Amino acid sequence: MIYSIALDGPGGAGKSSIAKQVAKLRGIVYVDTGAMYRAIALYMLKNNVDIHSEETVVSQLENVDIKLEYRDGAQCVILNGEDVSTQIRTNEVSMTASVTSAYKQVRAFLMDTQRNVAKTTSVIMDGRDIGTVVLPDAQVKIFLSADSRVRAQRRWLELQAKGDNTPFEEVLADIEKRDWQDINRKEAPLRQADDAILLDTSNLDFQQSVQAVLDIIDEKVK
Ligand code: DC
């Protein structure tokens, strides 16, 4: 049986690391939709596109080709033939993606690719609008949340590990700005689907969060 798990929530809630582990344990495909929005943002940055002009961003989409490939079970994002999986993980790309992902045609551009993967294989797909817009019929919907200071702390530790010394207060301010933009945009805002289960990971470590997600899945997918 093919089934889909929609995992939504704000940045830094742990969606991608949890989804990756759950996909491995259940032998299903992990689809990181944020990575696709990030790849579009990276293209705009590399080509000096004015990201605050919706019209300009949309007019550039015809030059963008995004593919997801899987190598040793890990998702790679291919932008115009180049593997940009690492390049899309900077704070600049995060902030840019939060702006460009608000545009209706940017969202429409990625929708088919996202839906098509889920048609042929079981997936755990993470994002902001998976349970509400992309896969409204997903068998399992989880909304992952955590206090913004906890999320900022996790992001800060990740950045430090990569040698990026952005101060904690700046990471926190960026997380809160991105939350605001993702929640308040007109198109597919970040929102818990009515039938999604809320999982707050503020007081859970990684293993506990993975287990909590597995318990929800096992309850729904028999
Ligand atoms: O999950 P992430 O941090 O990689 O997402 C980067 C940005 O992309 C985020 O600010 C909002 C946007 N995004 C979105 O609008 N819809 C999705 N399904 C996934 C991400």
Side-chain angles (χ1 to χ4, degrees):
M1 181 189 83
I2 289 183
Y3 62 92
S4 302
I5 303 161
L7 186 64
D8 290 303
K15 296 187 302 290
S16 59
S17 34
I18 293 169
K20 239 180 255 173
Q21 181 69 0
V22 168
K24 205 164 149 191
L25 294 171
R26 287 292 182 266
I28 61 177
V29 170
Y30 165 49
V31 184
D32 174 358
T33 62
M36 301 165 90
Y37 286 99
R38 286 170 179 271
I40 292 186
L42 180 68
Y43 178 89
M44 303 301 159
L45 283 172
K46 279 188 168 180
N47 291 281
N48 295 315
V49 174
D50 174 9
I51 58 155
H52 297 287
S53 161
E54 178 167 357
E55 207 186 329
T56 315
V57 168
V58 169
S59 73
Q60 289 295 316
L61 290 175
E62 63 183 29
N63 303 318
V64 178
D65 176 63
I66 292 171
K67 288 199 175 68
L68 298 181
E69 285 182 6
Y70 292 87
R71 294 188 192 141
D72 299 327
Q75 175 185 287
C76 299
V77 192
I78 314 295
L79 169 64
N80 293 342
E82 183 190 359
D83 184 350
V84 294
S85 310
T86 309
Q87 286 180 61
I88 56 171
R89 296 292 157 199
T90 65
N91 199 43
E92 189 187 21
V93 173
S94 304
M95 298 311 286
T96 306
S98 182
V99 174
T100 52
S101 64
Y103 303 146
K104 189 176 181 172
Q105 277 157 280
V106 168
R107 308 201 67 80
F109 180 76
L110 294 176
M111 177 86 89
D112 284 349
T113 314
Q114 294 169 358
R115 284 191 174 151
N116 284 340
V117 205
K119 274 185 197 153
T120 51
T121 181
S122 292
V123 294
I124 178 162
M125 189 177 290
D126 84 7
R128 303 291 187 284
D129 61 335
I130 311 307
T132 51
V133 178
V134 181
L135 302 175
D137 299 326
Q139 284 78 355
V140 187
K141 294 185 187 180
I142 300 170
F143 192 86
L144 208 63
S145 179
D147 179 76
S148 61
R149 290 194 81 83
V150 173
R151 289 185 281 126
Q153 175 73 15
R154 292 175 186 161
R155 218 0 89 84
W156 181 76
L157 286 172
E158 270 169 31
L159 291 170
Q160 291 274 313
K162 285 194 283 187
D164 179 331
N165 290 318
T166 309
F168 174 77
E169 290 306 325
E170 197 177 318
V171 177
L172 176 63
D174 281 352
I175 286 246
E176 289 180 342
K177 182 172 180 199
R178 218 147 66 92
D179 282 356
W180 195 91
Q181 288 174 171
D182 294 349
I183 291 167
N184 291 291
R185 69 184 180 208
K186 211 168 97 229
E187 299 300 329
L190 170 63
R191 180 175 78 72
Q192 181 182 342
D194 295 337
D195 50 352
I197 293 171
L198 176 66
L199 179 61
D200 189 321
T201 66
S202 303
N203 298 312
L204 302 181
D205 66 20
F206 177 66
Q207 291 305 340
Q208 290 168 327
S209 306
V210 169
Q211 193 52 53
V213 169
L214 290 172
D215 289 346
I216 295 171
I217 297 169
D218 292 343
E219 185 59 34
K220 298 266 177 190
V221 181
K222 303 255 178 183

